[in-house]
Every structure is written in structure tokens, then in C-alpha cells.
Amino acid sequence: MKKSVIGALAILSSVVALPTSAKETISAVGSSSVTPLMEVFSETYMKEHSNVFIEVQGPGSSAGVKAAKNGSADLGMSSRNLKSSEKESSLKELVIARDGIAIVVNPNNKLQGLTAEQVTAIYKGEVKNWKDVGGADKPIVAITRDTASGTRGAFEDIMKLKKKISGIKVSAISQRAQVANGNGALKTMVASNPYAIGYISLGTVDNSVNALDINGTPATVANVKNGSYKVARPFLVLYKEGKPSAEANKFLNWMTSETAQNLVEKKGYISVN
């Protein structure tokens, strides 16, 4: 009996003595437009670095800026340039890709394109029927993103959809516009409504929606690269100077590597190299 107890204790002590390989968690929080690319980055990186687990959440660009600032996440994600009020000397920005913003309609809508001015008028609520912009005699259902969205912020800046009230810049998008919570949700809403119009990341356009030409220029990666398609923005990763761990810094450096930037191109975004 004593021998069996001693043997069991010996086995137990040998198990306890085995070294544990705990994974380091890196958290990335922010833009729902950057999230699909960050998820691809994370999956690829974790296959090559088994000691790291990368957690990605996409509540929106404003949340990403806040998380990077207050340290609740290692990395923040933004799909727009930072506002002057958000900038801090200790908050660093890394451009990991560039992306166009596609203005999309339902595939049953036979309209091929709009001018930037027409898009602006639609979102201000000044144009309410497709016949006024060369389409069918049907009401326009404009769909926008929530105010925390980086895509919305970039879209408003590019399309001049801001107005001043009491000296403060606010959105000029009509209160009648429907609001989608996320890039994927907006695409689904447009895909299911023949009279809808919306705007999504160019890298997520598929055959469920039709991307319109703007000012006669198709929404393509090549046209964003050559500057002829003007509805474009950067994908940023934000971090506090001196804060990221050694592993998080390695991941940051990897994002602009040839391997990572090849993934950017494969996914329909624009490489920074």
C-alpha cells in the first residue's frame, strides 16, 4: 500500500514539474471594417507563433481609439484618420492597409453610377426618389452607419456631409436614414432591399451588392491606388508609445511585412508597400 502511495506521489510531482507554455494574449479592438483583415492577420500569425493568442473585437473606430488610449486593449483599430481632438503625442498610428469606400445598391437596381454631389444630396435627404438621379420611380432608402463608425466618419468627410451648429461640426446625414450596426449588417440590408443605398468597405464588396461608379470612376483597387477614385481612407492600428509588450511589438512589425501585405492584396485591400 505504501509503495503505491509513494509511486502515485512520484507521478504527481513529475506532472507538476512539467513546464507550462502559457500563451500571451494580444487584444485588438475597434473598427468593424478593419476587423476582417485583422482576423486574417491574426489567424496567419498564430499559426507561425504558437505562443501567442490574438483576440479581435469590432465595436467601431471610436471604441478602438478609446481602447488604445486607456489601455483596455493592446491595439486599437480605426478605419478613418484620427480627429484632432483624439490625437496625443503618445498615441502612435500604423497604417496597415488602404481601402476604398464603395457606395452600393441592390443588384436589382440598374443604375451604374452617381456623382459625388448626388450621393451627398441623397444622404442629406434632399433627393428622395431614384427617378431624380436617373433610376426608377421608387423611393430611396438611404442606409448609414452608427456615429461611432470610422467608415461613417470617413464617408462624411469625403462627401462633405458635415455641418456647423453653434460652431460645432455635426453630421449632415438625414435623420430619416436607416442605421446599420456594422459593415456586414449594412451590406445585408442593401442586399435585401431593392431600393436601398449604402456604403461599405471596398474589400468586402461581393455579388450580393453592386458598387456604383462615382463621378464616372469605378470603385476598384486600381483606381484607389492611382487616385482617380476619391472615396478612400486608411486602415490604422493604434497603440500607446512604450505600452505594447514585446510580443505585441513583434505582431505590429509583422503587419507591414511582405507576408502580411500579400494578404492585404489577396483580400481586396490596398497594400502599404
Side-chain angles (χ1 to χ4, degrees):
M1 184 71 179
K2 282 183 180 176
K3 280 184 179 179
S4 64
V5 171
I6 291 166
L9 287 170
I11 292 167
L12 182 63
S13 65
S14 69
V15 171
V16 172
L18 285 172
T20 56
S21 56
K23 293 191 177 188
E24 178 173 331
T25 299
I26 299 169
S27 54
V29 173
S31 165
S32 68
S33 294
V34 180
T35 292
L37 179 61
M38 184 60 74
E39 286 174 342
V40 171
F41 275 5
S42 301
E43 287 162 15
T44 306
Y45 191 82
M46 285 189 290
K47 282 177 188 172
E48 299 171 3
H49 301 80
S50 57
N51 61 319
V52 171
F53 177 74
I54 302 165
E55 185 179 60
V56 184
Q57 296 176 38
S61 292
S62 295
V65 176
K66 189 177 178 181
K69 280 184 172 185
N70 65 23
S72 59
D74 299 298
L75 309 173
M77 301 178 288
S78 177
S79 55
R80 59 169 171 78
N81 287 308
L82 297 191
K83 302 168 189 173
S84 56
S85 60
E86 292 173 325
K87 293 192 175 187
E88 293 177 1
S89 58
S90 62
L91 187 65
K92 302 303 176 185
E93 305 173 24
L94 176 69
V95 181
I96 60 166
R98 299 192 184 278
D99 183 39
I101 299 175
I103 288 83
V104 293
V105 294
N106 187 281
N108 290 325
N109 188 330
K110 300 308 176 189
L111 202 68
Q112 292 304 304
L114 293 169
T115 66
E117 289 76 15
Q118 286 172 327
V119 175
T120 299
I122 287 169
Y123 273 92
K124 282 183 174 179
E126 295 167 355
V127 172
K128 299 173 184 175
N129 194 300
W130 283 111
K131 70 177 181 183
D132 297 327
V133 289
D137 185 7
K138 297 292 181 183
I140 297 172
V141 179
I143 305 174
T144 188
R145 290 284 306 282
D146 55 277
T147 53
S149 159
T151 307
R152 175 169 174 159
F155 180 73
E156 287 178 345
D157 287 341
I158 296 163
M159 290 296 180
K160 297 179 173 59
L161 282 162
K162 291 281 180 74
K163 61 184 177 182
K164 276 193 176 181
I165 295 178
S166 302
I168 300 168
K169 269 191 179 181
V170 296
S171 176
I173 290 177
S174 168
Q175 296 290 317
R176 299 181 65 129
Q178 295 183 17
V179 178
N181 185 18
N183 194 75
L186 193 148
K187 183 165 69 169
T188 300
M189 288 169 75
V190 172
S192 60
N193 188 330
Y195 311 123
I197 184 170
Y199 51 92
I200 60 173
S201 164
L202 177 59
T204 62
V205 171
D206 56 29
N207 59 13
S208 70
V209 293
N210 180 39
L212 296 175
D213 298 352
I214 301 299
N215 293 340
T217 304
T220 64
V221 168
N223 287 338
V224 173
K225 277 185 175 179
N226 66 32
S228 60
Y229 186 80
K230 305 293 185 185
V231 197
R233 42 63 185 284
F235 277 1
L236 302 176
V237 172
L238 312 167
Y239 59 96
K240 285 283 257 191
E241 187 174 28
K243 285 286 184 186
S245 65
E247 290 300 336
N249 267 315
K250 285 179 189 174
F251 183 45
L252 278 166
N253 291 333
W254 178 87
M255 286 188 229
T256 54
S257 69
E258 186 178 350
T259 300
Q261 291 301 305
N262 283 341
L263 291 172
V264 169
E265 296 278 356
K266 273 185 189 174
K267 290 296 168 183
Y269 303 103
I270 297 140
S271 168
V272 294
N273 294 343

